Every structure is written in C-alpha cells, then in structure tokens.
Amino acid sequence: MAEFTGESRMYHGVAQGTQAQFVESQDQRNVATRRHPLCCSKRLLILILMFLRCFLSVLVTCSIHIAFIELSNLSFKVGVTELQIPSYEIITFTYHFGFLFSPIGGYLATKFGGSVTYGFTSMLASMLTALNPATLQWNVYIFSACRIAAGLFDGFAYASIAEIFTRWVPAKERSTSLAIVLTGFYIGNTFFYIIPAYIASSWGWQTAFYATGAITFVWSVVWLIIARNEPSEDKTISQRELQYIQSQTDATPRHQVVHPILKILTSLPVWAMCIGEFASSWGYDLIASSLPIYFRDATGRSMTQISTISVMPILVSICITPILGVIMDLMPNYIKLEVSQIHKIAITFGFSTSCILFAIAFFSNNIMLSITCLLVIKLLLSFNLFVLQVVCLYLAPKHSSILLGFSAIWPIGSKFVVPFFLQFIVKQFILQEWQLCFLLSSGALLFGTFVYWKFGSSQLQPWATSHPHRTYERELQ
C-alpha cells in the first residue's frame, strides 16, 4: 500500500509537472501571437531604410537621363567632343537588360540572406553609378557594360526584398509594409528630375552620378550595419517582437530551402501573376510615355502645359497606397473574405475599370475627358502592380524572392515592347492612330482581366512547403 501511495504520488507529480509545462507553453503562445505594434519596432526601422533605398534608386536611374540631356546641350562646345554620347535607346535598354536576370538575385538572397544580398548589391550598383562619367570618357561600349551591370545588381536587390519580407514581416502586415517601401518609388518619381537636374546644373553633369552614387554607398554601409538576415540574429530586437515575428513568419533555415523550379514554371497562379504584371506595366508605360505627345497631337499645345496634371496619379499614389495597404491587411478581420479573394477582386477591378476607361478614351471626342481617363488608368494600374507584388509574398513565402525576381522580367518586357508598339501604330501622329492604341490596350487589359480572374490566386501553393505553425498557415489563407 505504501508502495502504491508513493507510486501514485510520483505519477501525480509528473501530471502536475506536465500541466505546468502546458500552461507555460500556452502562455508563451499567447505572448508570441499577441500583436506587437509596428511603431517603435525594429522591423519599422528596416522598412524605413528600404523606403530610402527605393527613393534613391529612382534618383540613381534618373541621373543618366539628366546627364544625357546635359551632354546633348553641350555637344557642340569644346571639351565634350571627345565623349561618345550614347543614344537614348542604349541608355534605357542597357540598364533594364540587367533586370532580366533578377531571379538569380532571388536565389542569392535565399542562399546568403536577403539583407546581405540587398546591401552588397546596392553597394555595387552605387559604385558602378559613380563610374559612369569615367566610362563615358573611355568608350561607349564600356559605358554600356557598366549600365548593364548596374541594372543587374539593382535587379538582384529588388528580388531580395521578398526574402527580407519573408523573414521580417508578419503575415498580418505584409500589404502595409510593402506599401511603405514602395511609396519610396512614388516619391522618387515626384522628384524624378528636380534633384538630379539641380545637381547637374549647379556643379556639372558628372556630379549627378557622384552624388547619387555616394549617397547610395553610404546607405549600403548603414544597412549592412543595422540590418540582419534573421530577426533572431539581431541583438537589438525585443524578445516580444522576436516572438511575434517568428509566430507570423516562416523561419525555415535557408540551407533547407530547395526551390521547385519546374513546379514554379508550370504553376498557373504564377503565370497569371506574370501576365498581370505585363498587362499592368503595358498600360502604365504606354500612358507614361505617350501622354505628353498625345496631348500635343490632339490639342496642338505644348507638352509642358500638362506637366502638373500628369504628375497627379503619382501624388495620389503617395497618399493612397499606404492606406490601401492597411485596408488590405485589416479587411479579413471584418469581412468574410479570404486574403486571396481580396487580392483577386482588387486586381480584376483595376483591370476591368482600366479596360472601360481605355474604351471611353477611344470613343470620346473630348480630349480632356480622354486625358482624365488615361490618368485614372495610370493610377489604377499602379495599384495593380502593388497588389501583384503582395501576391508574391503569399503564393510561396519560402520561394517569394524567386517569384518576385521572375515577375520583374515582365514589366521590363513591356518597357521594351511599348516603344516599338507606338512606333508601329503612331506614324503620322494623328488622333485616329492614338485612338487605335487605346483600343488595342483596352483589349490587352480585357485579356489580363480574364486570365487573372480565371487562374490568379494568392493562396499558399501545394508545392510550397507549409510552415509548421498552424497560426502562420491560417494567416496566409
């Protein structure tokens, strides 16, 4: 009997210990899943630095266009005749050609870490930017190679953004966080010519390269000092924030991630996303490049008279995109829709509305109405591009850097195709030719609407290994 009593006490003690461990683990789960505010957090500092990088990338890209204009104006003066001034097509093509290899950057990000890849590729791109004046003096082919390499490293940096988000950004904050980062592009486009043009006109065209390259280099050093590949590697992050991030992200070690390339290339949602990227970029680039010329051909007035109007979609995007990101993150809490359904409704709404507005611009004889429709289309398609980038983070979080790099190819493709399309259609610069462009673009967006509504999705794909925590999986639904 004594032995039985002692044995029962032993089992009772084990039971009590098990219950205590269960309560402790339950409390830890409650702490981990409790939302940690974005404000005054380490991940907010990461997002602010990425916002600054996006802003600087626009200014770096713009510097070459400013230099091209300055060199064209000085081409008849003594001292610049030894420079082989490249054509505008070479300047544009060489840089964007490097972006075609962005998926390699996505692989490097999963191999060496998103933050390390982002920092070092940005540093290399800044150094190549500072070398542009010297390469112009050496040889136009060396200059073109330098531009291709700069675009290559910028493409690597762009793809590595997804890996950083996968490790640092909780599932409930992805739309908001990406909106904060991409707003840097919109603000940079607002100051597209102002800052580099001021630098070039005040201190010479070479200074535009030196200034933007040096600032980006300093940013890279700061980033490499502050940012870490994993939140667990950061010694300055709070324990509560670390637990919250780990409960809402996929913390699978990088060396265990194997990218199913064949399944990615044969996935219908991936191709629907890519077609959506191409269609959105097609309409956006068409309007951005042709609106001033269309206004001139339709009204006979100077293109500078609509410079203020044409920048309105960018200004609206600066104000609305962060709000849109917050709404998309909060909406699943208040309506009975999954995240994938919200994304599909937003994208197809942007496509279908843009298709209708292009048709109105085709049939309307009111030039100002047509221009208003085109500006609204530009705004809607910029939102579409934003949502499609969010989709990359949900389809396959472990492989999102590969997806983002792969999706970056299609907007670059539209930048190559749109100029040839305009040259093929608009030959005599008459109103009927522009209306034909609008009609064909309306058909392209109609096709994009059908494809994404039929095959598009942002649900976690079967070929993407699921996260061991069920809480994380529910947030992706």
Side-chain angles (χ1 to χ4, degrees):
M1 183 69 179
E3 292 178 358
F4 177 79
T5 304
E7 188 174 349
S8 65
R9 286 178 181 176
M10 182 182 66
Y11 282 117
H12 181 65
V14 172
Q16 283 183 336
T18 305
Q19 183 178 5
Q21 291 176 3
F22 174 78
V23 172
E24 182 181 358
S25 62
Q26 183 68 37
D27 291 339
Q28 289 176 350
R29 283 198 296 270
N30 291 337
V31 171
T33 56
R34 190 183 305 151
R35 181 183 291 273
H36 184 279
L38 182 61
C39 59
C40 302
S41 63
K42 184 58 183 285
R43 63 187 188 280
L44 178 61
L45 178 59
I46 297 294
L47 295 177
I48 292 174
L49 288 174
M50 296 175 73
F51 163 86
L52 293 175
R53 175 66 178 96
C54 293
F55 175 78
L56 290 173
S57 67
V58 178
L59 299 186
V60 169
T61 306
C62 175
S63 297
I64 186 61
H65 301 285
I66 295 297
F68 176 79
I69 296 172
E70 291 289 328
L71 289 174
S72 299
N73 295 334
L74 298 174
S75 59
F76 298 103
K77 295 184 180 181
V78 179
V80 297
T81 54
E82 70 275 9
L83 295 179
Q84 300 180 31
I85 303 176
S87 65
Y88 188 81
E89 289 77 12
I90 291 178
I91 289 175
T92 303
F93 175 79
T94 51
Y95 177 78
H96 290 111
F97 180 79
F99 267 82
L100 298 177
F101 302 93
S102 296
I104 299 176
Y107 171 77
L108 294 176
T110 56
K111 183 72 174 179
F112 301 104
S115 296
V116 170
T117 305
Y118 195 57
F120 277 108
T121 54
S122 298
M123 181 180 292
L124 293 172
S126 67
M127 295 168 65
L128 290 168
T129 300
L131 286 175
N132 278 330
T135 56
L136 267 177
Q137 294 177 348
W138 292 337
N139 189 283
V140 67
Y141 298 106
I142 298 178
F143 168 79
S144 300
C146 185
R147 291 293 296 166
I148 291 175
L152 178 71
F153 290 125
D154 273 339
F156 289 176
Y158 174 77
S160 61
I161 289 176
E163 176 66 16
I164 298 172
F165 269 64
T166 299
R167 303 291 175 175
W168 275 93
V169 179
K172 295 179 179 180
E173 300 174 358
R174 287 181 179 170
S175 299
T176 303
S177 301
L178 188 61
I180 293 173
V181 173
L182 294 183
T183 304
F185 284 119
Y186 300 139
I187 296 179
N189 283 318
T190 305
F191 297 97
F192 192 77
Y193 286 112
I194 298 176
I195 297 177
Y198 175 77
I199 295 174
S201 60
S202 300
W203 295 286
W205 63 271
Q206 301 96 329
T207 313
F209 292 108
Y210 299 147
T212 54
I215 295 173
T216 306
F217 184 87
V218 172
W219 177 93
S220 303
V221 174
V222 174
W223 171 267
L224 291 172
I225 293 174
I226 294 178
R228 295 291 179 268
N229 291 327
E230 307 277 352
S232 58
E233 299 173 0
D234 196 317
K235 297 181 180 180
T236 62
I237 191 172
S238 67
Q239 188 65 25
R240 180 187 168 190
E241 183 181 7
L242 176 61
Q243 291 178 341
Y244 175 67
I245 292 176
Q246 289 178 338
S247 70
Q248 297 288 322
T249 56
D250 193 334
T252 304
R254 293 191 303 275
H255 67 274
Q256 296 182 7
V257 177
V258 178
H259 301 295
I261 302 299
L262 182 60
K263 292 183 179 180
I264 291 175
L265 295 179
T266 55
S267 173
L268 288 178
V270 171
W271 281 105
M273 177 189 66
C274 293
I275 292 174
E277 290 265 10
F278 183 82
S280 299
S281 299
W282 171 280
Y284 187 92
D285 294 334
L286 179 72
I287 295 172
S289 59
S290 65
L291 183 60
I293 306 175
Y294 166 70
F295 182 82
R296 181 201 64 188
D297 295 341
T299 64
R301 290 183 286 175
S302 172
M303 294 182 291
T304 58
Q305 296 182 19
I306 64 165
S307 58
T308 303
I309 301 177
S310 60
V311 81
M312 286 302 297
I314 299 176
L315 296 177
V316 174
S317 298
I318 294 173
C319 301
I320 299 298
T321 301
I323 299 175
L324 178 66
V326 173
I327 292 174
M328 290 178 63
D329 281 333
L330 295 178
M331 194 175 294
N333 299 328
Y334 298 99
I335 60 176
K336 295 181 179 180
L337 288 176
E338 296 181 354
V339 173
S340 181
Q341 294 173 322
I342 295 172
H343 292 165
K344 178 173 288 190
I345 292 172
I347 292 171
T348 52
F349 173 79
F351 275 140
S352 58
T353 306
S354 299
C355 175
I356 295 172
L357 292 175
F358 261 130
I360 294 175
F362 168 73
F363 288 106
S364 176
N365 293 322
N366 188 326
I367 301 303
M368 293 310 299
L369 176 61
S370 299
I371 290 176
T372 302
C373 291
L374 296 178
L375 292 175
V376 175
I377 292 171
K378 188 178 178 181
L379 177 64
L380 290 173
L381 294 182
S382 68
F383 289 157
N384 263 22
L385 290 171
F386 159 66
V387 180
L388 287 166
Q389 288 170 319
V390 175
V391 168
C392 292
L393 304 174
Y394 281 87
L395 275 176
K398 291 181 182 179
H399 318 293
S400 57
S401 59
I402 299 293
L403 294 181
L404 190 61
F406 184 56
S407 68
I409 297 175
W410 306 96
I412 300 303
S414 75
K415 293 182 183 298
F416 293 153
V417 174
V418 165
F420 294 102
F421 171 76
L422 290 175
Q423 292 177 6
F424 180 77
I425 300 296
V426 183
K427 296 181 178 179
Q428 300 179 358
F429 296 96
I430 59 178
L431 184 61
Q432 289 75 13
E433 293 175 337
W434 288 109
Q435 289 177 329
L436 179 60
C437 287
F438 301 154
L439 181 63
L440 294 176
S441 298
S442 178
L445 293 178
L446 181 63
F447 175 73
T449 304
F450 170 76
V451 169
Y452 198 84
W453 181 258
K454 182 68 176 178
F455 304 107
S457 174
S458 58
Q459 290 183 341
L460 185 65
Q461 296 300 295
W463 43 264
T465 306
S466 59
H467 190 270
H469 297 302
R470 299 183 62 87
T471 303
Y472 175 75
E473 290 183 352
R474 286 197 298 269
E475 297 301 334
L476 295 178
Q477 302 303 320

